[in-house]
Amino acid sequence: MTETTAQQHPAHTDDPEYAANLRRATLASSVGSALEYFDFALYGLFSALVFGQLFFSNLPPEFAVVASLASFGVGFLARPLGGLFFGTLGDRLGRKWVLVVTILLMGGATTLIGLLPTFDQIGIWAPILLTVLRLAQGFGAGAEQAGATVLMAEYSPVQRRGFFSALPFIGIQLGTLLAALVFSLMALLPDEVFFGWAWRIPFLASFVLILLALFIRLRLKETPTFVELEKHEQVASRPIREIFTKGLAGVTVGVGLRMAENGGSYMFQTLALAFVAGNFLANPVDRGVATWGVTIGSLIAMLVLPLTGHLSDRFGRRIIYRAGAVFMLVYAFPAWWLLSQGDPVTVVIVIALGIGIAVNTMLGPQCAMLPELFGNRHRYLGVAMAREISAVLAGGLAGVLGAYLLAVSDGDWLLPAIYMAALALITTASTFLVPETRGRDLLRLDDAVNVSTDEGHDRDADLAVAPLSR
């Protein structure tokens, strides 16, 4: 089959069927995002502040934190494999059913963590089983967020794709917020209760979110762009081959774009908490107080995400993304110096601004930008690879490498500041390597990085004619 490019077909928001499908897609993506990030934020908080004592109690306290954060990072190693496996299925079989399977795998692993015995109960088998479940969690998550990203971009009206694509990612903040709130409340419990049995409750309770997400996704229809592929018999038979021959440039740029957003997110959510509440400061901050920075940052992000998505619709994806990367670059050194002072109020403000402003100013335009980088035949796999390779290189290393740097330097704040600034530099440079993708036709089969950077200007007239096409 030759690679012909279908024209964007109109789909108006006043069409009841289209509007219902758009709402259903938003809800399906949001609940899945909430569950994924509840799982990951919960595990991140517990790995920074709790799991060292429960599963690595045979190690000195500072290296128990390193080992605990390493178990957190291991999950990222499985994510590219999950993205490769499920991303291929998503491009061959469709987006819907892959999202059903990934939510079951990811959520089931999280629930089982709540049933694990600790090191004091079964010795070395405790951290081994924890790591196995973390790997399963990461394997499912490897295509979960990529699927939600692609699903929402393919359902959204083109001129407001940035805004609508960002809406489900409020679920990320809801999941992070819920995890932080749960942890903050549980931190009020006496240590013997908290470390004895209460820590298991939030992991077991995630089963409720699994059932809700499953119910919603089973009622979801396939995306219009994948339906068009099937209609024209253009579904890729070998999406892996295509992504490594035609889509490699897009994956590479996508990885660069994600370094500061993903790495910075986990540095503020896990490493910063381990730094201020662990043994690195002379007067550690209470772990429950420090977690409020994550909570407030998630609340700020709920406003920043749709706002920056909307701004990317008006001014372009690149300029808004670049603004977030430059902000993180400038913010890194004063942020980590302020954290090192150990003032509880300052700690909360620094973490909240890092998550709410620095990270999510990039995530807002990213929601539409990553799907726009790839052609229709291998979009799911392309987004999954860009997201999950960067998740290993940025998010997976952020906790364990950062904790190691702090451990060997006796808590020198300058090292994580340099690390964060380096991630921000990579992402800033990457915004100059990608063409403007705002308004790109998602029915196209070619990747955006293979076309001229002036393409966006040539489409303005077309967008005026079909303002609500997909």
Side-chain angles (χ1 to χ4, degrees), residues 32-98:
S33 297
L35 174 59
E36 178 184 354
Y37 276 81
F38 174 75
D39 290 350
F40 270 71
L42 192 68
Y43 196 105
L45 290 169
F46 274 75
S47 63
L49 302 172
V50 177
F51 282 167
Q53 298 180 53
L54 293 174
F55 293 96
F56 304 94
S57 55
N58 58 321
L59 299 175
E62 63 272 19
F63 285 98
V65 173
V66 175
S68 180
L69 288 172
S71 75
F72 179 68
V74 159
F76 288 92
L77 296 178
R79 291 180 66 154
L81 297 176
L84 185 66
F85 178 77
F86 289 116
T88 301
L89 293 181
D91 281 322
R92 293 185 63 184
L93 305 178
R95 323 311 191 197
K96 171 183 174 178
W97 292 109
V98 171

Side-chain angles (χ1 to χ4, degrees), residues 425-444:
L425 275 174
I426 293 171
T427 294
T428 302
S430 297
T431 64
F432 290 94
L433 300 177
V434 64
E436 179 55 60
T437 60
R438 175 177 54 133
R440 195 166 196 268
D441 186 348
L442 295 186
L443 293 176
R444 294 182 62 160

Side-chain angles (χ1 to χ4, degrees), residues 247 250-251 370-376 378-379 382-383 440 446-447:
V251 171
L370 282 185
E372 289 169 339
L373 287 178
F374 298 98
N376 198 14
H378 54 257
R379 178 172 298 122
V383 173
R440 195 166 196 268
D446 59 330
D447 288 0

Side-chain angles (χ1 to χ4, degrees), residues 3 242-253 372-376 378 433-437 440 444-455 459:
E3 290 192 357
E242 285 198 12
I243 205 64
F244 283 106
T245 55
K246 301 177 182 179
L248 195 57
V251 171
T252 303
V253 173
E372 289 169 339
L373 287 178
F374 298 98
N376 198 14
H378 54 257
L433 300 177
V434 64
E436 179 55 60
T437 60
R440 195 166 196 268
R444 294 182 62 160
L445 303 182
D446 59 330
D447 288 0
V449 291
N450 295 326
V451 297
S452 168
T453 55
D454 295 327
E455 179 194 18
R459 283 192 307 267

